[in-house]
Amino acid sequence: MPLSPLACDPSQTLGREFALEGSIARGPRSPYQRDRDRIIHSIAFRRLRHKTQVFVAPDGDHYRVRLTHSLEVAQIGRVIARVLGLDEDLTEALCLAHDIGHPPFGHSGEDALDEALKEQGGWDHNANTLRTLMRLESPYCEHEGLNLTWETLEGLAKHNGPVRSPNWALAELDAAYPLHLGEWSCLEAQVAAIADDIAYDNHDIDDGLRAGFLHLDDLLTQPFVAEQWRAVEAKHPSAPHDRKLRELVRSQIGIMVNDVIAETQSRTQGMAGIVDIRAASRASAAFSPAMAEAERTLKRFMYDRLYYHPEQLATAEKAHQVVSGLFAAYREDPSRMGEAWASRLPQEEPQRSRHIADFIAGMTDRFAIAQYRMIHGTAPEGLSNV
């Protein structure tokens, strides 16, 4: 299928931060396919297997973690990209990498790092995604980072929209390799962002029901969910209840995907190329107004009933304690980080604290718990609530 004029054409890439003269191409891959493969083969990507999505350090094998979430986002993103004629490989790379910067324990871990670095510029997981891919994850002899294409990096930097006030990490990277932060990102990145919304809106329902934090009767107070449930009941009246719940989630994903495709086609009608996407006054990939309102209402419900559930908040406090405790311990005695990290610790601030945060942010949930237990002799009980 030919690419849309609105797509990022891999043959027209703006290149990479580090140009390698005389480099040998390995196989017939496009630049965006290479980006995707570099991300998949990175240590940072593998660590997503043991990083919190919703439930902290889940013991159950059936719950999503950052890795499985990222794979589901990529599946949804590729479907939308294919219908819109966008570059599927770039879309997939963005979907797979969008959460690589998350620390252990999800947003509670992020809050703890932001608090620890409040005098050193704070901490942000999206900026840390770029920092990880451009500086910290360095498997190559010739340069720092994975040396991804400009389009992948700018898409990750601003997939949620133009960045008017970048924090220190993103500002440093943008100064070294300008990413045009004030413009909208390419359409592939916008698709990745809304695929993220579709994925977690629905798989969090699935996990919340499985864990007993959500109940169908409460979900049915949401008009969008109730409408899809009635359709499932009408189509499969004799099916087992658990299968109908799975069908509900699949149905909602499909309806949201179709809505985004139609709304994006409408918003981009008359646009001639990527320049128009970047210069637009609003997102070009989006839900319709009606779906956007339904999705916002559903999100508010999920925050109230799942993300801010008392048991979730209690577990998040314990996770915050672990990350804060690790930061304090490494500040007190950097040798606890091990020779590789301690030997590179800067003496001056803010670089010193940021280096410690880099070390902690790369941890998985279980490694962070093990490190805390090794330093303090014990770890908070009940860090996994499913």
Side-chain angles (χ1 to χ4, degrees):
M1 180 177 177
L3 287 177
S4 161
L6 304 180
C8 285
D9 185 340
S11 69
Q12 302 299 314
T13 175
L14 296 183
R16 305 180 187 274
E17 181 180 7
F18 304 105
L20 302 178
E21 298 295 333
S23 60
I24 300 174
R26 292 184 175 91
R29 296 170 296 169
S30 78
Y32 303 146
Q33 288 175 317
R34 293 179 190 279
D35 283 0
R36 177 204 58 207
D37 295 349
R38 291 178 185 190
I39 290 162
I40 288 175
H41 288 283
S42 70
I43 293 174
F45 182 73
R46 294 198 291 274
R47 286 176 180 154
L48 296 179
R49 177 188 174 199
H50 293 292
K51 289 197 176 190
T52 291
Q53 175 59 29
V54 173
F55 297 109
V56 172
D59 290 327
D61 294 335
H62 296 169
Y63 297 100
R64 272 80 170 183
V65 291
R66 287 285 165 191
L67 179 61
T68 50
H69 163 69
S70 298
L71 294 173
E72 292 186 24
V73 174
Q75 177 263 327
I76 293 170
R78 286 198 72 128
V79 169
I80 298 173
R82 182 172 299 179
V83 175
L84 296 176
L86 305 179
D87 189 282
E88 292 181 48
D89 299 309
L90 175 57
T91 305
E92 184 179 25
L94 292 163
C95 291
L96 292 173
H98 80 283
D99 270 355
I100 271 180
H102 269 284
F105 311 121
H107 292 288
S108 58
E110 179 169 9
D111 291 343
L113 286 178
D114 190 42
E115 182 180 301
L117 266 65
K118 62 184 176 183
E119 303 298 329
Q120 288 81 33
W123 198 89
D124 171 73
H125 80 265
N126 195 56
N128 192 57
T129 291
L130 273 292
R131 183 169 169 82
T132 299
L133 296 174
M134 294 178 72
R135 296 294 181 263
L136 302 179
E137 179 84 20
S138 297
Y140 300 105
C141 298
E142 301 93 337
H143 53 74
E144 288 184 312
L146 297 185
N147 202 25
L148 304 177
T149 61
W150 185 89
E151 291 79 13
T152 296
L153 295 175
E154 73 102 18
L156 290 169
K158 53 190 179 176
H159 60 280
N160 289 320
V163 181
R164 309 297 183 191
S165 301
N167 86 329
W168 63 269
L170 188 53
E172 282 184 359
L173 297 168
D174 183 60
Y177 192 49
L179 298 172
H180 302 176
L181 297 180
E183 300 177 350
W184 282 96
S185 63
C186 62
L187 202 51
E188 285 85 351
Q190 295 184 40
V191 165
I194 205 159
D196 182 28
D197 287 337
I198 293 171
Y200 79 71
D201 282 343
N202 289 287
H203 67 46
D204 289 359
I205 288 176
D206 189 23
D207 281 355
L209 288 168
R210 184 185 304 278
F213 283 65
L214 295 177
H215 302 283
L216 181 60
D217 288 345
D218 294 331
L219 272 168
L220 295 181
T221 63
Q222 303 301 298
F224 174 66
V225 179
E227 181 181 355
Q228 308 322 314
W229 180 250
R230 287 194 295 270
V232 170
E233 289 268 57
K235 187 175 181 180
H236 306 285
S238 303
H241 184 71
D242 63 324
R243 296 190 191 182
K244 286 192 282 191
L245 292 176
R246 301 289 292 279
E247 183 65 27
L248 170 69
V249 171
R250 284 195 294 271
S251 174
Q252 291 184 169
I253 290 173
I255 288 168
M256 285 182 167
V257 165
N258 289 334
D259 181 88
V260 167
I261 290 169
E263 181 67 14
T264 304
Q265 289 171 331
S266 175
R267 291 190 180 203
T268 57
Q269 190 171 8
M271 290 186 177
I274 302 176
V275 172
D276 296 329
I277 298 292
R278 299 192 189 284
S281 60
R282 61 177 182 172
S284 297
F287 291 121
S288 66
M291 181 61 75
E293 178 56 32
E295 198 263 349
R296 282 192 296 270
T297 301
L298 180 58
K299 264 195 175 69
R300 287 193 293 268
F301 171 87
M302 294 292 284
Y303 272 94
D304 181 49
R305 301 301 180 92
L306 179 60
Y307 309 135
Y308 292 160
H309 187 284
E311 192 171 334
Q312 285 284 77
L313 293 177
T315 306
E317 279 188 28
K318 296 171 185 176
H320 190 287
Q321 175 186 336
V322 168
V323 173
S324 298
L326 287 174
F327 188 89
Y330 297 141
R331 281 290 302 273
E332 178 185 67
D333 182 2
S335 69
R336 290 167 169 158
M337 292 190 292
E339 174 63 21
W341 279 85
S343 64
R344 293 183 283 112
L345 181 69
Q347 294 303 309
E348 67 283 352
E349 291 288 4
Q351 289 78 13
R352 186 179 180 85
S353 291
R354 292 171 179 177
H355 182 80
I356 294 171
D358 287 339
F359 179 59
I360 295 173
M363 294 180 178
T364 61
D365 295 2
R366 65 180 187 176
F367 184 76
I369 294 169
Q371 289 294 295
Y372 187 92
R373 183 176 288 115
M374 183 175 68
I375 293 169
H376 296 281
T378 185
E381 294 293 328
L383 258 172
S384 180
N385 57 8
V386 291

